[in-house]
Each structure stands twice: as structure tokens, then as C-alpha cells.
Amino acid sequence: MTLHYFVVFCIGAIIGSFLNVVGLRFLREESIVWPGSHCYSCNQPIKPYDNIPILSWLLLRGQCRACKAKISIQYPLIELFTALLFVATVDKFGFTWQSLLLLILVSNFMVILITDFREQYIFDLNSLGLIPFGLVYSGFNMGNWPGEVHVPIGALQISMSTALASSFIAIGGAFTIFFLLNFFSRLVIGRDGFGEGDNRLLMGIGAFFGVKWMIVVFILAFVIQAALGIPFLLWQWLRHKAYSTTALLIGGFSLAVVPYFFQAQLQKSPLLLLGVVSVSGGAAMTCAFKALKQAKSLPTGLMALPFGPAIVVACLAMLFLENPVLPLLTTILHF
């Protein structure tokens, strides 16, 4: 079995190397087939022995053999991360059709990490392209809604499995969530607060895992973004003396956690709970969106963090670490 894992690791590393090419050439609007691998500094073709995933970067010390230009550490990291995820997928789900579909999901995640981190852009092929694969995954009852229950659809009396019905609901739900968030954002700052790629990525995840996971991944992504992104943004803004922008973001975060200080009282009245959460949440988003609007005028270009990577990490955490993650998330969000 150890040999099997080694083979899977090697295949994952090779695919990770190809995904590096896909992500970067998508951004450059170049063909992913032609020309072959080459150095972007001197344009010299990369020899096969210099194109071994992970190992070649280490042996060359992150430099091009021909011109000595630095080669980004992104290359070995994506190769290693892809290889480890391939092994983790096969280890958890075995050599099955389920694993194959999940490996397609994981591979798209790697490209999304590249493009969203570099240009804050997610291509439709990597987001909307997940939906048909996700529906196949659910259609074979391999999602989180197993069983033989069927749901009638309208007067045509079309029926589908509970898993597949949940996937369609999740696709529509993800679209609705981001539509409402961007509607609110346009009212506050005059433009969308989230990219269409984030919306379509969550729709693709919903197609795979259904409405329950879609909601959990969305919430967990916000927690991850807040935990990692807010300190980073505050540090950047304080460095450039953007005190007004910093105050708005801190104020928004403070308003968002107001309900936690009144848990005992709010639990006794669902209507009061809904009212307080709506008011504090709306005020928090208003402050956050206004902070991001002000940040657009900063000269550094570090205005905001892409949300796609947080969604990817949240989905991977649920996929491989569901048991420890769910109780932790429940504790964080508990009323």
C-alpha cells in the first residue's frame, strides 16, 4: 500500500506542475499546450531533467539554469500541495469514482489559488466548470445526503435523489447569498463587494456537497478570512497611516460580535435574536464595505484580500477534517 501512495504522490506532483502552467498561462492568455515549458525571463526551453516536480526546483536552488533568474517558490509549493491532497483523497475515499471526481475538484482548487492570489480572478472554467462534475457526484449518491428518497419536481413528476435535489438547492442558494451581499454592497459603496468568481466557486462546491456543506463552507470561509485577513489589512493600513480606514474595519468587526455579549438574553427570544443579529450584521457590513471603498484610494495596491482562497481552504478543511472542524466552528458561532 505504501507503494500505491508513492505512485499517487508522484502523479499528484506531476499534475501539480501542469496546474502551475495552467494557472499562469490562463492569466497571460496563452495556450496551455504550446509552446512547451520555458523560462519567462530568458525564454529558453526547460530541459526535461530540469522539469522534475519539486526536485528540480530544489536542485537548481530556485533559479533558471540558463539565466539564473529566480523561479517562484509557487512552483514547488503547488506541486507539493497537489501531491499531498491526491494522497489524502485516495487515503480517505479509496480508488473509486468518488475519488476521481474529488481529484478534479482539488485540481481546480489549485488553479484558483494561483489565479486568485495573483490577480484576484477566478476563471469560469475553474468555478462553473465544477457544477457538472458536482452534479454527477451527487447523482451517484456520493454526497452528504445518501439514501433512496426521491423528491417530485412539479407537474412533470420528475424525481431525483435527495442528494441531487440538495445540490440544485445549494447552487441556487449560493447564487442568492452573493446576490444579496453584492446588492447591499452596491447600496453602501456603489459597487460589488465580492467577485462573480467567488459566487460561482461556491455554486460549484454546492453542486458537489449539497446545501448543508455549502452553508458551512461559506461561514467557515468568512471565519478564515477574518482570522487571517483582518490582521493583515490592519497592519498594511496602519503602516500607511490610513487611520480612518482602520477605524472603520475595527468598528465593523466590533459591531459584528455585539450579539455574543448578550447570548443569554437573546436565546430567550428568537425575534430579538433575529433583530439584533440583523442590525449588528448590517452595520458591520456597512463599515467593512466603506473601509474597503476607502482602501481603493491607497497607493500600495493592497486594498483587499481575495475571498476565493478562503473558500478553497474551508472546503478542504470540511473534506478532510470535518470531525474536528465542525465542533470548533459550532463553538465559535454558538449562541
Side-chain angles (χ1 to χ4, degrees):
M1 186 59 69
T2 303
L3 177 61
H4 292 164
Y5 287 145
F6 177 74
V7 172
V8 171
F9 181 91
C10 292
I11 292 173
I14 293 170
I15 291 177
S17 179
F18 174 69
L19 297 177
N20 269 314
V21 174
V22 171
L24 293 174
R25 294 198 182 186
F26 273 7
L27 292 174
R28 293 170 178 264
E29 298 183 354
E30 297 176 350
S31 168
I32 63 173
V33 178
W34 184 264
S37 297
H38 59 279
C39 173
Y40 283 114
S41 296
C42 64
N43 212 35
Q44 287 294 315
I46 297 177
K47 303 295 184 182
Y49 49 79
D50 285 336
N51 207 18
I52 303 172
I54 305 173
L55 185 60
S56 289
W57 189 91
L58 293 173
L59 293 176
L60 293 172
R61 299 180 182 179
Q63 296 179 332
C64 170
R65 184 184 293 274
C67 68
K68 305 303 180 183
K70 288 186 177 181
I71 300 174
S72 173
I73 196 173
Q74 168 197 304
Y75 288 92
L77 286 180
I78 290 294
E79 291 162 358
L80 177 62
F81 197 23
T82 305
L84 292 175
L85 287 175
F86 270 47
V87 171
T89 301
V90 171
D91 181 59
K92 184 171 183 178
F93 301 98
F95 292 92
T96 64
W97 285 105
Q98 181 182 23
S99 294
L100 179 60
L101 292 168
L102 290 176
L103 291 177
I104 292 173
L105 176 69
V106 165
S107 297
N108 277 273
F109 280 172
M110 295 301 98
V111 177
I112 288 169
L113 289 177
I114 295 170
T115 62
D116 211 14
F117 266 129
R118 282 180 169 265
E119 300 291 342
Q120 295 190 15
Y121 193 86
I122 299 175
F123 289 88
D124 287 347
L125 180 64
N126 304 121
S127 53
L128 288 179
L130 293 174
I131 292 179
F133 291 107
L135 292 176
V136 171
Y137 182 93
S138 293
F140 280 105
N141 239 357
M142 295 185 289
N144 272 13
W145 291 68
E148 298 299 327
V149 179
H150 286 73
V151 181
I153 306 297
L156 296 177
Q157 293 298 309
I158 300 173
S159 63
M160 64 178 67
S161 69
T162 306
L164 193 57
S166 177
S167 293
F168 278 112
I169 294 171
I171 293 170
F175 176 84
T176 302
I177 288 172
F178 278 101
F179 175 83
L180 293 175
L181 285 173
N182 280 330
F183 177 77
F184 184 79
S185 173
R186 286 191 291 271
L187 289 178
V188 175
I189 64 174
R191 59 172 165 264
D192 290 345
F194 295 90
E196 292 182 0
D198 301 328
N199 183 353
R200 293 164 182 171
L201 173 58
L202 192 64
M203 290 168 65
I205 292 172
F208 265 87
F209 303 112
V211 67
K212 288 182 179 179
W213 264 42
M214 184 274 292
I215 294 172
V216 172
V217 167
F218 177 73
I219 295 173
L220 182 58
F222 260 102
V223 172
I224 293 171
Q225 190 82 340
L228 300 179
I230 289 178
F232 178 80
L233 289 178
L234 290 177
W235 176 66
Q236 289 291 335
W237 295 344
L238 286 172
R239 280 181 59 206
H240 294 87
K241 300 181 180 180
Y243 300 123
S244 173
T245 305
T246 304
L248 278 171
L249 191 60
I250 293 175
F253 181 78
S254 301
L255 287 168
V257 300
V258 163
Y260 287 90
F261 295 101
F262 302 96
Q263 293 185 45
Q265 294 81 4
L266 295 176
Q267 285 176 339
K268 299 174 182 178
S269 173
L271 288 178
L272 181 60
L273 170 63
L274 178 62
V276 171
V277 170
S278 299
V279 172
S280 66
M285 283 196 294
T286 299
C287 290
F289 283 140
K290 285 189 174 181
L292 294 177
K293 182 179 181 181
Q294 287 189 11
K296 292 291 184 182
S297 63
L298 296 178
T300 62
L302 290 170
M303 310 309 153
L305 295 175
F307 191 46
I311 297 176
V312 168
V313 172
C315 186
L316 291 176
M318 283 296 297
L319 186 60
F320 298 110
L321 303 170
E322 181 179 0
N323 290 334
V325 166
L326 272 180
L328 177 61
L329 185 62
T330 301
T331 302
I332 294 173
L333 302 175
H334 178 68
F335 273 98

